[in-house]
Amino acid sequence: VAALAQHGHGQGEEHGKAAEFKMPTTYKAGVEEIEHRLHEIAELMDSKQLAKVHAEADVIQKVAKEIGQLALKEGSGVPKEAVNDINQAGKDLAGKFDAIDKAADAGDAAGTKKIYEDMVKITAALAKYAPKAYQCPMKCEREKTYDKPGKCPKCGMDLQDVKSHVDH
């Protein structure tokens, strides 16, 4: 189910096109979606396109509101004792939406950056519970991944965290 991320502000205020996204179905995918949208916001800040921050932040808010439920799903890889922390972090992250939206709408680059940095910290707390994937840096087995570090069965190199080599 694709969803449009947008909310109304009132008459005459326009944020451009809503960001289209598919609600993640796993905890790991939820965290990755949030990280991707934060990356997009960073690029918008760098290119001074603050008016476009709204749509990306709206997706973060929607996913953050669901992240606790994704953590509870069978096979999420999230330890049960972490779910309360994840729920709180999700609420905190979703709660940053209005502030970043207002700062960006006002053209306040410094304010937008400060709130963005808070969002990055909260997301790091969520990311530490996301299951990791490891693969051979030489891609001996193409895109095959493992859930634990180790050695590549083909070339013997140390498997590396997939995320450490992805420019998302």
Side-chain angles (χ1 to χ4, degrees):
V1 175
L4 292 178
Q6 187 80 358
H7 82 275
H9 268 296
Q11 298 294 343
E13 290 190 55
E14 192 57 56
H15 284 102
K17 201 170 175 190
E20 200 168 308
F21 79 108
K22 194 172 183 151
M23 184 58 78
T25 57
T26 67
Y27 181 78
K28 182 178 180 181
V31 171
E32 288 171 351
E33 183 70 35
I34 291 168
E35 290 173 334
H36 169 71
R37 298 301 171 156
L38 284 170
H39 178 77
E40 295 296 315
I41 290 173
E43 289 188 347
L44 291 169
M45 290 186 309
D46 287 348
S47 62
K48 300 190 183 351
Q49 296 180 58
L50 296 181
K52 294 182 179 179
V53 165
H54 170 86
E56 302 300 332
D58 195 36
V59 172
I60 292 171
Q61 180 188 40
K62 285 177 169 45
V63 176
K65 285 181 175 179
E66 298 297 320
I67 203 76
Q69 289 302 312
L70 295 173
L72 280 172
K73 275 181 138 180
E74 188 72 36
S76 70
V78 175
K80 294 291 177 232
E81 62 273 9
V83 174
N84 283 340
D85 290 345
I86 288 167
N87 269 324
Q88 188 58 54
K91 285 179 189 172
D92 292 347
L93 188 58
K96 296 286 181 190
F97 173 76
D98 285 336
I100 199 166
D101 190 40
K102 277 186 183 146
D105 282 353
D108 178 0
T112 302
K113 184 171 174 46
K114 169 138 185 29
I115 298 157
Y116 164 82
E117 288 168 355
D118 291 344
M119 293 171 79
V120 167
K121 285 181 192 149
I122 296 167
T123 302
L126 293 172
K128 74 181 178 185
Y129 297 112
K132 297 198 181 342
Y134 299 88
Q135 84 184 155
C136 177
M138 301 304 289
K139 304 247 187 200
C140 291
E141 298 177 289
R142 300 184 189 254
E143 298 301 314
K144 183 171 181 182
T145 61
Y146 298 87
D147 60 358
K148 292 182 175 78
K151 301 270 185 205
C152 172
K154 296 215 181 221
C155 73
M157 288 187 75
D158 288 337
L159 299 176
Q160 294 182 342
D161 184 351
V162 172
K163 284 190 100 177
S164 67
H165 297 284
V166 174
D167 178 30
H168 36 260

